[in-house]
Amino acid sequence: MWPSLEWKGDKLVLIDQRLLPQKEVYLECQSGEEVAQAIEKMVIRGAPAIGVAAAYGVILEVKQSPDKATLQQNFARIVQRLRQTRPTARNLFWALERMEKTFKDLLSLSLREIITGLEREASTLEEEDLARNMKIGEYGASLIPPSSTVLTHCNAGALATAGYGTALGVIRTAYFQGKIDRVYATETRPILQGARLTCWELVKEGIPVTLITDNMAGWLMNQGKISLVITGADRIARNGDTANKIGTYSLAVLAREHQLPFYIAAPLSTFDFSLNSGQKIPIEERDPREVREINGHPISLQDIPVENPAFDVTPAAYITAIISDRGIAYPPYEESLRLWLTEETPK
Ligand code: MRU
């Protein structure tokens, strides 16, 4: 296992996910602003990983405060900056809310005690995320029948979290229980997280994986090559509507057509119980060059109009079950998810 990020006390070290699998380069962030830029540029990506990185970004900024008044200013400024990096991942806002709550609770203490307390909270977030993923793996694996071939989209693995992964966590656990024969990974245009990251992770661990382009999924289902689909999530509304990497919705519709189970795996930090449905989930629109180019090489006309939503929302009606660290929820999700609601409130 390898980490997406490593906290060194005075810097945050990130594996540069833009360069994988060709190059394993580590990037050191020494300020909150550097962390914010790393999130925006997708040096680090994946909803839970972004949340943990942001918490450490806050620490890097507040550590530069000579007194409490500056600390308060630095804290407010960096939280605001980090909030603006990627709008869809609920975990980012959840982690920053946890940091805000901790800050408020510690405000009467000395400068040093506040910083120590905040740093403790950031590493708790990291440890919790790993522990949550292990639980998701256990719950999710119970849904996987023997001899399965599993399709996954994007990368919801160790790289996208503090470790182990959500959808890939389920795949890891089920594979080592002997239930999975093969994983199919969609390439996941435009950023190719499936081709670059999921394949890299699975090959490193000796889990058999076959890469397909995004438009091949339906035909493989038609040919009986897929037993089930499992993906991660960026934000899940109270009714179970789920935002995840663009293309997830199409896979869910295809799974329904072929009567295949479609599962979502995500920690509670991904749930947004303030939203009744997925309609209000903010969808990030990214740079058009990501569609016009592959790895910096033009593939179309220079100024061709482009749409580049980074995520889509899969209506709950297409989701067979949602796996979290609290267990497995089945439709109707308004009822099953309500039982998990109290856990979501920042401590
Ligand atoms: O744009 P990305 O690469 O950050 O998108 C990642 C995804 O969509 C993942 O499926 C999601 O964040 C869950 S990661 C455990």
Side-chain angles (χ1 to χ4, degrees):
M1 195 62 95
W2 55 97
S4 55
L5 80 187
E6 200 175 342
W7 176 241
K8 299 277 198 185
D10 58 348
K11 60 187 172 215
L12 181 67
V13 182
L14 306 174
I15 187 163
D16 190 338
Q17 299 194 27
R18 298 168 305 178
L19 305 178
L20 289 171
Q22 277 76 26
K23 289 183 194 155
E24 289 183 31
V25 174
Y26 291 83
L27 197 125
E28 293 184 354
C29 297
Q30 263 143 2
S31 68
E33 176 57 31
E34 283 176 12
V35 173
Q37 287 187 22
I39 294 172
E40 274 167 352
K41 292 178 185 161
M42 297 177 71
V43 171
I44 185 160
R45 31 65 50 200
I50 293 171
V52 176
Y56 284 124
V58 170
I59 307 299
L60 289 171
E61 206 65 20
V62 297
K63 275 199 164 176
Q64 291 169 13
S65 318
D67 51 54
K68 265 175 88 171
T70 324
L71 173 73
Q72 258 172 304
Q73 284 166 10
N74 285 350
F75 185 88
R77 197 189 54 244
I78 194 60
V79 166
Q80 183 55 17
R81 170 72 182 97
L82 287 160
R83 271 183 203 288
Q84 289 160 357
T85 52
R86 297 200 70 193
T88 307
R90 170 66 196 145
N91 311 60
L92 169 67
F93 302 93
W94 178 88
L96 292 172
E97 282 159 22
R98 282 267 300 251
M99 295 302 280
E100 278 176 318
K101 166 89 171 58
T102 306
F103 186 58
K104 237 194 218 163
D105 292 347
L106 300 176
L107 210 51
S108 60
L109 301 180
S110 70
L111 178 71
R112 182 185 280 265
E113 285 168 326
I114 298 173
I115 293 173
T116 308
L118 284 170
E119 194 167 348
R120 201 176 313 117
E121 182 67 356
S123 46
T124 303
L125 284 175
E126 183 183 350
E127 283 159 24
E128 272 181 16
D129 187 58
L130 180 59
R132 284 171 191 262
N133 292 340
M134 307 297 286
K135 279 196 184 161
I136 291 172
E138 271 170 46
Y139 287 125
S142 71
L143 295 169
I144 314 284
S147 308
S148 289
T149 47
V150 178
L151 178 73
T152 190
H153 187 54
C154 193
N155 172 265
L159 289 168
T161 61
Y164 205 67
T166 57
L168 281 198
V170 173
I171 288 172
R172 281 195 161 93
T173 306
Y175 177 77
F176 290 112
Q177 288 176 356
K179 292 171 164 178
I180 293 183
D181 288 348
R182 177 158 295 275
V183 177
Y184 282 93
T186 52
E187 62 173 347
T188 321
R189 271 284 284 151
I191 309 276
L192 303 172
Q193 291 94 328
R196 298 187 303 101
L197 309 176
T198 295
C199 290
W200 186 71
E201 276 199 30
L202 294 179
V203 164
K204 269 202 173 218
E205 222 155 337
I207 300 178
V209 55
T210 299
L211 172 64
I212 60 169
T213 63
D214 298 320
N215 49 359
M216 293 175 186
W219 182 242
L220 261 65
M221 289 180 188
N222 172 286
Q223 297 295 292
K225 290 191 172 175
I226 311 286
S227 320
L228 60 98
V229 183
I230 181 161
T231 75
D234 274 73
R235 200 184 284 235
I236 302 173
R238 214 156 56 194
N239 70 343
D241 289 353
T242 295
N244 190 49
K245 179 53 52 195
I246 190 76
T248 304
Y249 169 54
S250 319
L251 292 175
V253 174
L254 283 169
R256 170 61 52 85
E257 174 64 20
H258 295 90
Q259 294 171 0
L260 299 175
F262 181 88
Y263 298 119
I264 294 288
L268 272 192
S269 47
T270 304
F271 289 72
D272 188 344
F273 291 107
S274 73
L275 298 180
N276 293 334
S277 78
Q279 270 178 352
K280 293 240 168 75
I281 296 179
I283 300 294
E284 177 184 7
E285 181 74 23
R286 291 186 61 86
D287 191 327
R289 281 176 302 185
E290 291 177 354
V291 177
R292 292 191 195 116
E293 299 170 2
I294 294 184
N295 284 340
H297 299 292
I299 55 161
S300 185
L301 307 173
Q302 206 185 354
D303 295 320
I304 196 82
V306 152
E307 294 214 19
N308 190 13
F311 302 96
D312 57 29
V313 177
T314 299
Y318 289 99
I319 300 170
T320 312
I322 300 177
I323 307 147
S324 89
D325 44 300
R326 287 296 300 278
I328 302 169
Y330 293 95
Y333 293 112
E334 274 90 352
E335 283 171 31
S336 50
L337 297 184
R338 197 181 316 135
L339 299 172
W340 297 347
L341 204 148
T342 44
E343 181 91 352
E344 161 64 3
T345 327
K347 285 177 207 147

